[in-house]
Amino acid sequence: MGGAEAAAVVEAASTAAEAAEDGEDGRMEGWLYLIRSNRLGLQTSRKRYFVLEDSALRCFKAAPAPSSSSSKREDPVRSAVIDSCIRVTDNGRESVHRSIFYIFTLYNASNHYDQLKLGARSSEEAARWIRCLMESALKSPRKDEHVVACSHRRWQAFRLSRRSNRMHSIDWTILSSSHNDPMASDVIAPSAWTIFGCTNGLRLFTEAKDGGSRGKYWDDHPAIMAVGVVDANSEDIFQTLMSLGQSRSEWDFCLREGRVVEHLDGHSDIIHKKLRGDWLPWGMRKRDLLLRRYWRREDDGTYVILYHSVFHNRCSPEKGYIRACLKSGGYVISPVSQGRQSVVKHMLAIDWKFWKSYLLTSSAKYITIRMLGRVAALRELFRAKNGNCACMEFSSGELTRDTGLPQGGNERRKIEMQSANECGRLEGPVEGLQGGSNRQLSSTGSLVQLNDATDEFFDVPDESEYDQREAMWSSDESTHAVDQRHAKLSSAAVFVRKLHDLAVQKRGYVDLQGAADADNAPCYYGHTLPKDSSCTIPSSWSMTDPTTFLIRGESYLIDRQKIKAENTLMQMVGADWIKSDKREDDLAGRPGGLVQKYAAQGGSKFFFIVNIQVPGSTTYSLALYYMMDTPLEKVPLLERFVNGDDTFRNSRFKLIPYISKGSWIVKQSVGKKACLVGQALEINYFRGSNYLELGVDIGSSTVARGVVSLVLGYLNNLVIEMAFLVQGNTQEELPEFLLGTCRLNYLDASKAVSLDEC
């Protein structure tokens, strides 16, 4: 192959994913990396070319040559069928041999050991693959195909096959609302921000005081937000903000040095920032910050980075620095102008730890506003580069890493292209070696065979455009084990990010605001959480106004407009707030509870229970009980949901979250957008004679667990409102209707009833 032809192939391969996604045939292709672990537990990566087409994922060692005739197509190394039993989880950022990858995992819902871990070079590329794989898995099977329920099939979803099935059109309405709803919010709520000034091209806002706020937490350290427009796409801005290396000195005038103390998972880590002293008022000692950082990408390309202060046993206060306390802070980077520009929101609510309290009002606000001015510096950085974001020098290709050793500072290491010898070296013993050509591959294996070591001696070298950006964690953390049962990253994962998870304290850090355990009264299922219609008693529940929420109207399929909900189909009749040393399922089926009491009396009353389970060293369960008198057969959509299979249920059960009172960091985490819960988290369904219980397992998602622990200290300062419904996709199912609503007032972990004491 000549040089020009080779260059053309490389160029075609580098743009294949973008071009393929725009096609009408649902085809997606491009270079990805197989992430595997050897016998020593060390992760390795292998570059492969993947093609997703006709509900099949095919793997090649080289980009297949385009051919107009399907009979001339090159046979893949391996292939697997993608169907409704497949789940896709976003694992976030990971470092593998000093290279940064955005990891996502495919696994079989009926067998979590049957999985495939893949990595992309950018979060945008990973997001495209995740979305296409989700769409392929969610699409309805052909009527002439034999359909087997996921719970009864073991390897069917990952069966290797050369058979090519025609891919039919995708039902876009079964996907998350964020893909097709033009509205940014499904909740009618007043703005929480009030503008008070403008400086250096940035609008400045202060968080409106909450009249119902408990205590003076936010009055002492008010939240301030700066908003500006940056001439760059959201991913480049995200990469710049996540960097703690030398490139940060080009725009961050506050930071002296930064490092990662501990890598928690692909979306969370603990970072330490030392601030410079020359921008602070005269006579003020230098400050530092020890923060837990969490990030995520929304379906519309928006990036969210959240911070709050923590304690960590590996990062004690240093001499010469006073440790400030960041109550709440972060960035929201939203793409505008078809992605050419981004609106950047930077928010801080920080206690600068002044010795004299009278300095708080005059100096603290001034210092916070100065720090928010980094948005203007970020804007000028990209403007100086003439909008050519691809040419940004993230440490000029250097990988800045915190080694975590006593003598280690931040080191700058050059990233070199893999040589042919490096690509071919043996990284571990060869297992399951099979001879023969590609055509002799078995057609009865699982997708886990894509991880087989038969091709371990072959790898594709990286192209020069894959310059590495700065790693964000220690080398000893690069092999950190990741939960293999993560759920997909979508807007549905957001709603559960408002409860707390005490298990994270075992990692070596403790949030500044913790909850203490206390003795609890015996439990009576359905009544362990008291009702308070006045919304004044902590750890209580009530129903919220249904007109707060927006649902799909009768003409939604035509105009995409939503309308106010007028009422609910069911009434909320009880709630549980319990804790145990294990996950508690099927609460409605337990003797002596609310549901069984009505079942013993007979009648037509039907119960719908949502049991939100938060695993950890102590497992917390928040169960919400709804009841209706109307027979199921008179509500066709609900009857189909109650008596349908799990695949249908997962594609229809929808929740609208809303934090009506609480801190910005929690409100930003949860959002106000309707979401399909079953597309982000695992739901276990329990069907009884007079009830259906949904066990929502928050532990199935690393994204959910990350933010759950992030808001640990804020739980008893929150008022959480939610609405549940079954999504309507066809004209006969519209307009939608709310199953029920709830309002949770200042939940307190110490008020949870212990089942071990019952």
Side-chain angles (χ1 to χ4, degrees), residues 585-599:
D585 290 322
D586 197 12
L587 300 180
R590 302 189 180 188
L594 175 66
V595 177
Q596 293 304 311
K597 175 183 175 181
Y598 278 92

Side-chain angles (χ1 to χ4, degrees), residues 263-324:
H263 172 60
L264 303 179
D265 56 49
H267 290 272
S268 304
D269 52 21
I270 305 296
I271 62 173
H272 182 219
K273 291 184 175 183
K274 294 182 179 179
L275 304 183
R276 299 163 57 99
D278 51 7
W279 66 280
L280 297 172
W282 181 85
M284 182 177 175
R285 291 177 59 184
K286 291 182 291 186
R287 262 57 175 175
D288 70 340
L289 293 164
L290 181 62
L291 307 171
R292 171 163 180 160
R293 177 176 63 178
Y294 164 84
W295 75 272
R296 74 172 184 271
R297 180 191 181 276
E298 302 288 4
D299 296 322
D300 62 354
T302 295
Y303 287 88
V304 178
I305 308 174
L306 302 176
Y307 306 90
H308 75 146
S309 287
V310 294
F311 291 118
H312 198 285
N313 54 17
R314 293 199 337 230
C315 188
S316 302
E318 298 184 15
K319 184 178 180 180
Y321 287 88
I322 296 177
R323 182 151 296 176

Side-chain angles (χ1 to χ4, degrees), residues 189 210 544 658-662 667 718-721 743-745:
D210 196 346
T544 192
Y658 174 42
I659 304 298
S660 57
K661 295 182 182 180
K667 290 181 178 179
L718 302 178
V719 174
I720 305 167
E721 300 184 22
R743 175 187 171 108
L744 304 171
N745 306 307

Side-chain angles (χ1 to χ4, degrees), residues 395-685:
S395 292
S396 301
E398 298 159 359
L399 181 63
T400 303
R401 307 173 69 249
D402 172 30
T403 62
L405 299 176
Q407 73 276 15
N410 285 341
E411 299 181 358
R412 302 175 64 191
R413 297 187 175 96
K414 296 291 184 180
I415 296 299
E416 300 178 356
M417 300 299 296
Q418 284 185 305
S419 64
N421 292 334
E422 291 174 328
C423 296
R425 70 173 183 267
L426 178 63
E427 308 238 1
V430 177
E431 300 178 1
L433 186 63
Q434 299 178 357
S437 65
N438 295 339
R439 293 181 175 82
Q440 295 174 332
L441 290 174
S442 170
S443 62
T444 59
S446 66
L447 191 60
V448 74
Q449 288 193 6
L450 285 170
N451 290 316
D452 284 348
T454 44
D455 57 349
E456 190 168 8
F457 294 96
F458 181 86
D459 194 15
V460 180
D462 290 341
E463 284 78 24
S464 59
E465 70 266 20
Y466 288 142
D467 290 338
Q468 302 300 307
R469 298 181 171 98
E470 292 146 86
M472 306 306 298
W473 44 82
S474 310
S475 58
D476 61 338
E477 297 291 343
S478 62
T479 59
H480 183 74
V482 179
D483 189 343
Q484 297 181 348
R485 299 186 60 183
H486 300 169
K488 292 171 290 188
L489 176 66
S490 78
S491 58
V494 183
F495 88 98
V496 292
R497 301 167 181 173
K498 53 191 170 288
L499 303 176
H500 69 294
D501 184 359
L502 299 180
V504 297
Q505 297 185 9
K506 297 188 296 182
R507 293 183 181 270
Y509 71 91
V510 181
D511 292 281
L512 297 185
Q513 299 178 3
D517 292 334
D519 294 335
N520 300 280
C523 61
Y524 172 54
Y525 297 110
H527 294 287
T528 60
L529 191 67
K531 180 179 180 180
D532 176 31
S533 301
S534 64
C535 305
T536 58
I537 301 177
S539 286
S540 62
W541 67 269
S542 63
M543 293 187 65
T544 192
D545 183 5
T547 61
T548 303
F549 304 97
L550 298 175
I551 58 177
R552 295 180 175 183
E554 188 173 1
S555 59
Y556 177 81
L557 298 179
I558 301 174
D559 54 22
R560 299 295 183 185
Q561 295 300 311
K562 293 191 174 183
I563 60 175
K564 283 185 180 181
E566 296 181 356
N567 47 43
T568 62
L569 178 67
M570 302 180 178
Q571 295 295 312
M572 188 172 180
V573 294
D576 281 326
W577 180 224
I578 58 180
K579 62 182 179 181
S580 175
D581 58 358
K582 64 182 185 303
R583 195 177 77 183
E584 300 293 339
D585 290 322
D586 197 12
L587 300 180
R590 302 189 180 188
L594 175 66
V595 177
Q596 293 304 311
K597 175 183 175 181
Y598 278 92
Q601 297 175 356
S604 60
K605 291 181 173 58
F606 183 82
F607 288 85
F608 186 88
I609 303 96
V610 180
N611 182 7
I612 302 174
Q613 303 161 331
V614 188
S617 56
T618 299
T619 298
Y620 289 81
S621 294
L622 175 66
L624 310 174
Y625 294 75
Y626 297 90
M627 183 184 73
M628 72 172 186
D629 294 321
T630 306
L632 268 180
E633 50 271 16
K634 292 188 177 181
V635 190
L637 180 57
L638 180 60
E639 181 186 27
R640 185 182 175 194
F641 180 87
V642 170
N643 298 323
D645 59 24
D646 291 356
T647 301
F648 176 78
R649 293 166 173 167
N650 289 336
S651 67
R652 294 299 189 95
F653 179 58
K654 191 159 67 172
L655 175 145
I656 308 175
Y658 174 42
I659 304 298
S660 57
K661 295 182 182 180
S663 66
W664 175 86
I665 192 172
V666 180
K667 290 181 178 179
Q668 190 60 55
S669 299
V670 176
K672 296 180 290 186
K673 187 68 180 173
C675 50
L676 294 171
V677 183
Q679 303 309 317
L681 302 174
E682 289 188 7
I683 302 179
N684 298 303
Y685 298 90

